[in-house]
Structure formats: structure tokens, C-alpha cells
Amino acid sequence: TYCLNSSDGSQVWSFSSPTGRFAIDGSPAIADGRVMVSDWDGHHYYCLDEETGLELWSFTVEGNAQSTPAIWQGRVVFEGWDWGLGGRIYCVDLENGSKIWSLATENSPCGSPSIQDDAVYMTAYSFEGEGDLLALSIDNGSVLWRSKVSPTDSTPAVAEGRVYICGGCEGFSELATYCFDASSGEQIWKSPAEDRIGDWRCSPAYADGLLFAGRANFTEYGGVYALNATTGAPVWSYPAGGSSPALAG
């Protein structure tokens, strides 16, 4: 893990995990002077000092430590999973790494969580059928609701009382982008399968009443779409790009 000066790219510090393993798919998460990183099949998440890169604590999970952690009011949520064998979602204390709760899942929580209004939203991938979108209590990990979706690692986008995800693996499951009621889990809309908007690797982004998502083209992407976030209707599209978008200004 590297910390670079954002002005000139010079290295401030680096951290090598004690296991000698490296992160796969998961990105760092930063809050309150701390940096959370992972080492995948090393089975650990590490909490580092933001200024020095020194390890403050580590947490061992069952299975692969893949997700980008979500940090909320002194709590950190992340997962561990095994190939086709389910996994476990964890919530720990940001200060000292002590476990607050964990939840075993039937499907594999390979993606990353989002947290809003005391709820954790996270997907669980199924290698044999439909996946799950889970809403959990941040307090104790209890399941608030569960909705079936195409298998996905998508990080949910939560906005205006709704949860959005992309899902599906071309050739194996339906490609779609979904919108759910954040409180009840009721599906509000889903993009038509023939539009092929969405993919298990793509996370949507929301801004100003629009939802941005990629259109899959087998191993690559075939463009980016802006959808009406209320109805799911396409507003515009662009024939390039399509991976998880970022928005500013």
C-alpha cells in the first residue's frame, strides 16, 4: 500500500502486509486519520496510521478479504468469502479492531458495503443462481431485508431513499441495473434485459436525479448510460467507457 503526495506524486510512505499477500479488487478506505487496507487470501484487514503508514491493528476474517471497507461513525464494515461457499460480513471498532458483530451469508459477499441512515447495504454473489442485496442494521447486523438480484459484486449507491446496483455476468445471468426502496427492499425498477445495462463488476453512481452505469460487452464495456433515477429510463449514452463511474462538478 502506497501513500503519495497528491501534488507531485512523491512517496510519503508504504506498507507491506506481514503475510506477504496483496489486495485484490479492494481499495483503501480513509477516515479519522486511519487507512483501512486488505491482503485478500492473507485473510486480513489492516488499520494504518494515515500520517506514517504504521500498522495500528489487524483483523482476521474467514476466507478472502476482498471488499473496500466502509467506515461510519467509528465503525468499519467489510467481508470475507470462499469460492461458492458463502462468507461472513463483519463490523468492527475503528479505534481498536474489536468485533462488534458478524453475519454468516449463504452466498458470497465478494463486493463492498455502503452505509447510510444506520443501515449497511451489501451484495452477495451466487455462483449457481440469483445473488442477494442485503440491508443490515449497523447496530447488530440483523437482516432488515433481502432482495434477489443477478449475481454481482456491485457496490450499492444509496441516494434519496433508494438503493441502486448493477448485476449479471454475460453468458451466465441477466445483465441489469436495479433500483430498490432503501427502507423496504421493494424493487422500484429494473433496466430491460435487452438493454444489457449493468454488470457484476460495475458499480453505479448517482447525481442530480441521474444514475450512471456501464453497458457490458462480454469482457469489456460497450458504453456508459445516464438513467432517470426515478424511472430507469435512459436519458443519454456514450459509446465508450462503462466501468464504475466517478462524478464531480
Side-chain angles (χ1 to χ4, degrees):
T1 300
Y2 294 90
C3 173
L4 307 180
N5 184 302
S6 62
S7 297
D8 60 17
S10 60
Q11 181 175 309
V12 180
W13 53 257
S14 67
F15 168 79
S16 297
S17 67
T19 60
R21 311 304 291 173
F22 48 85
I24 294 180
D25 292 343
S27 301
I30 306 170
D32 301 331
R34 303 194 169 207
V35 180
M36 294 295 306
V37 298
S38 60
D39 65 0
W40 206 66
D41 60 355
H43 316 298
H44 292 83
Y45 288 88
Y46 300 93
C47 180
L48 313 179
D49 183 275
E50 183 181 0
E51 295 298 322
T52 64
L54 293 176
E55 180 184 331
L56 301 176
W57 53 261
S58 66
F59 188 91
T60 304
V61 299
E62 300 175 18
N64 301 311
Q66 177 168 301
S67 66
T68 300
I71 303 173
W72 183 85
Q73 295 189 3
R75 297 188 177 199
V76 188
V77 178
F78 45 67
E79 50 73 7
W81 69 281
D82 284 312
W83 293 97
L85 300 176
R88 188 172 288 272
I89 300 171
Y90 300 85
C91 177
V92 306
D93 189 288
L94 178 62
E95 180 67 25
N96 55 30
S98 60
K99 185 173 76 171
I100 298 173
W101 54 259
S102 70
L103 173 73
T105 60
E106 179 181 358
N107 291 319
S108 300
C110 312
S112 302
S114 298
I115 306 175
Q116 187 164 307
D117 297 332
D118 297 333
V120 178
Y121 301 94
M122 191 166 189
T123 60
Y125 195 101
S126 171
F127 291 84
E128 297 180 348
E130 288 183 305
D132 298 313
L133 172 61
L134 299 167
L136 311 175
S137 166
I138 187 65
D139 292 326
N140 55 29
S142 59
V143 178
L144 304 176
W145 52 260
R146 175 190 285 107
S147 295
K148 290 297 182 181
V149 294
S150 282
T152 184
D153 287 357
S154 181
T155 302
V158 188
E160 309 293 339
R162 298 182 176 189
V163 183
Y164 303 91
I165 62 165
C166 299
C169 183
E170 190 162 23
F172 297 92
S173 53
E174 182 180 70
L175 303 175
T177 297
Y178 299 81
C179 172
F180 294 91
D181 184 282
S183 298
S184 66
E186 178 185 0
Q187 181 178 300
I188 298 173
W189 57 259
K190 181 177 78 169
S191 62
E194 59 269 23
D195 289 351
R196 295 170 50 243
I197 300 172
D199 179 76
W200 68 277
R201 301 159 296 176
C202 179
S203 300
Y206 171 91
D208 298 336
L210 295 175
L211 187 77
F212 301 87
R215 186 175 192 268
N217 184 17
F218 196 50
T219 59
E220 305 298 331
Y221 283 101
V224 62
Y225 276 72
L227 308 177
N228 182 304
T230 301
T231 65
V235 176
W236 58 258
S237 64
Y238 184 75
S243 62
S244 303
L247 300 160

